[in-house]
Amino acid sequence: MKNIHLLLSLMLILSACSPSSKTPSNSQKDIPVNEFAIIIHGGAGTILKKNMTPEKEAAYKAKLAEAVKTGYEILKKGGSSGDAVVKTIQVLEESPLFNAGKGAVFTHEETNELDASFMDGKTLNAGAIAGVKDIKSPIEAARKVMTNSDHVMLSGTGASQFAKEQGLEIVDPSYFYTESRFKSLQRIKDKEKTALDHDDKKAAFYDATIKNSKFGTVGCVALDKEGNISAGTSTGGMTNKRWGRIGDAPIIGSGTYANNKTCGVSSTGWGEYFIRAQVAYDISAQMEYQQKSLKKATNDVIHNKLTKLGGTGGVVALDKNGNMAFEFNTAGMYRASMNDKGDMVIKIYKD
């Protein structure tokens, strides 16, 4: 009888030690999908094919392809994820198609105020700028704040002074003027006047156009061959914004987040909600503390938490194994990605 009990005990021990076919081991979970990868966005919103001319669609796709290829080539040659993120976003900042840099939207005062942020997933260091009017490349300035200052976020004239001291290119504010963005502001102002019946008291608090006043913020996340993740986001903010409004793009944890242990994220959408939900950090936190996959975490944050708050927009995200996710609750999002095999994906609409 003792021998039978001993045999049963040994069988139970062996059974407990054997890996279950249903639950992958940690080593199985951490098998890299891509040695390096890059993913970008050019903004999310009401982007419908019926409103897009073939020429405009081709222009967007061409610029997205140019940008993602820029970062891919850096990563392919063994360059850092940080360099890939900055150089990729600069391509988009210099295009009037997107709401960043050259294509920035206008404030109520008819100026352009730019925001950007950058985060390094290896060190968890970060940098950001907000409300600047003369720095040609906001994303470059944000990274310089991270590497060359004791601070995380600089704003306004102080940020511009820092950029000058760092030798970054400073331009006349007229550099950011585009006729299409200026006309968009005038249309919104005209709608305000009509809706408010010229009531100046109401005008100070009018917020009805906010949903239709957002355009293509840009962002990028990259994983390099050393396993380091970097993320960055750059924007002109919201058309007709007032009082020095700052959205989620320059806020670490809202618009941008990167952590080598989990993932990198860049957000785009209605910034006030992304700030309240801490969207970018929440995705990383769910992966770290709840052991969720990138797909499950991005899906929950965008389609559950953000949507329930009433927020609209999306994210691009990339985890430590090179898995990628585009997630948004709007009609479309300008987006592209490339993996270590050189496979490129470019999409605009939901389907």
Side-chain angles (χ1 to χ4, degrees):
M1 182 65 72
K2 288 182 179 179
N3 289 336
I4 294 174
H5 282 293
L6 181 60
L7 182 60
L8 288 172
S9 297
L10 287 170
M11 290 175 66
L12 287 171
I13 292 170
L14 289 171
S15 175
C17 292
S18 299
S20 167
S21 60
K22 294 182 180 179
T23 306
S25 67
N26 288 334
S27 61
Q28 287 176 313
K29 287 180 180 179
D30 292 337
I31 295 174
V33 174
N34 291 298
E35 182 186 14
F36 64 92
I38 184 168
I39 189 167
I40 69 174
H41 70 76
T46 307
I47 305 166
L48 302 173
K49 191 172 181 63
K50 66 180 182 181
N51 297 331
M52 187 84 70
T53 65
E55 294 77 16
K56 196 70 174 270
E57 182 176 304
Y60 273 108
K61 288 184 175 180
K63 190 55 66 173
L64 289 169
E66 179 188 346
V68 77
K69 283 180 182 177
T70 297
Y72 169 80
E73 289 298 329
I74 292 171
L75 297 171
K76 183 181 178 182
K77 295 173 183 176
S80 72
S81 58
D83 287 346
V85 165
V86 171
K87 295 298 184 183
T88 297
I89 289 179
Q90 285 180 324
V91 172
L92 301 174
E93 284 180 336
E94 292 173 7
S95 169
L97 291 172
F98 303 96
N99 175 21
K102 179 65 177 174
V105 298
F106 284 82
T107 68
H108 185 76
E109 289 75 27
E110 300 184 354
T111 61
N112 307 104
E113 295 180 359
L114 313 171
D115 309 326
S117 61
F118 178 92
M119 187 165 183
D120 173 57
K122 181 180 181 180
T123 63
L124 302 186
N125 202 357
I129 60 164
V132 299
K133 300 179 180 180
D134 58 0
I135 300 175
K136 184 179 181 181
S137 176
I139 190 63
E140 184 180 18
R143 192 185 188 192
K144 286 290 186 181
V145 171
M146 182 190 82
T147 59
N148 293 13
S149 83
D150 296 325
H151 309 299
V152 171
M153 182 185 288
L154 302 179
S155 66
T157 56
S160 292
Q161 182 60 38
F162 170 79
K164 290 175 186 176
E165 292 175 7
Q166 295 300 311
L168 301 187
E169 186 170 358
I170 303 299
V171 295
D172 187 90
S174 62
Y175 166 81
F176 302 106
Y177 179 93
T178 55
E179 189 68 17
S180 62
R181 299 302 195 198
F182 188 72
K183 287 181 177 178
S184 293
L185 173 67
Q186 301 312 314
R187 285 194 296 269
I188 289 172
K189 282 187 171 184
D190 288 343
K191 286 181 181 178
E192 278 188 350
K193 291 175 183 177
T194 301
L196 296 171
D197 195 26
H198 306 286
D199 187 330
D200 292 333
K201 291 182 180 180
K202 289 182 181 178
F205 303 99
Y206 185 63
D207 204 27
T209 62
I210 196 167
K211 282 190 176 181
N212 297 317
S213 304
K214 302 187 306 301
F215 297 90
T217 292
V218 305
C220 175
V221 184
L223 169 70
D224 62 33
K225 291 182 178 181
E226 299 299 318
N228 295 320
I229 301 172
S230 295
T233 309
S234 182
T235 188
M238 180 181 290
T239 301
N240 200 35
K241 62 184 180 181
R242 305 185 190 190
W243 312 301
R245 177 263 186 189
I246 296 171
D248 66 304
I251 298 178
I252 302 302
S254 298
T256 301
Y257 193 75
N259 187 331
N260 278 6
K261 291 196 299 183
T262 53
C263 67
V265 181
S266 177
S267 308
T268 174
W270 192 344
E272 279 69 12
Y273 288 89
F274 279 74
I275 294 171
R276 289 164 56 189
Q278 280 291 282
V279 163
Y281 173 72
D282 195 11
I283 291 168
S284 173
Q286 288 195 26
M287 293 179 68
E288 182 173 1
Y289 303 125
Q290 297 181 359
Q291 303 302 306
K292 285 188 178 181
S293 67
L294 181 71
K295 180 64 178 175
K296 287 184 177 179
T298 54
N299 186 279
D300 178 58
V301 171
I302 297 301
H303 296 292
N304 183 21
K305 293 188 172 184
L306 181 68
T307 300
K308 283 182 178 178
L309 276 178
T312 55
V315 297
V316 293
L318 175 61
D319 75 10
K320 63 180 183 178
N321 293 318
N323 293 296
M324 294 180 274
F326 302 110
E327 208 67 60
F328 52 99
N329 64 2
T330 54
M333 180 169 73
Y334 300 107
R335 57 203 190 274
S337 66
M338 288 188 77
N339 61 20
D340 58 4
K341 302 163 192 67
D343 300 326
M344 183 189 298
V345 173
I346 299 177
K347 293 185 178 182
I348 296 177
Y349 315 108
K350 180 169 288 187
D351 299 319

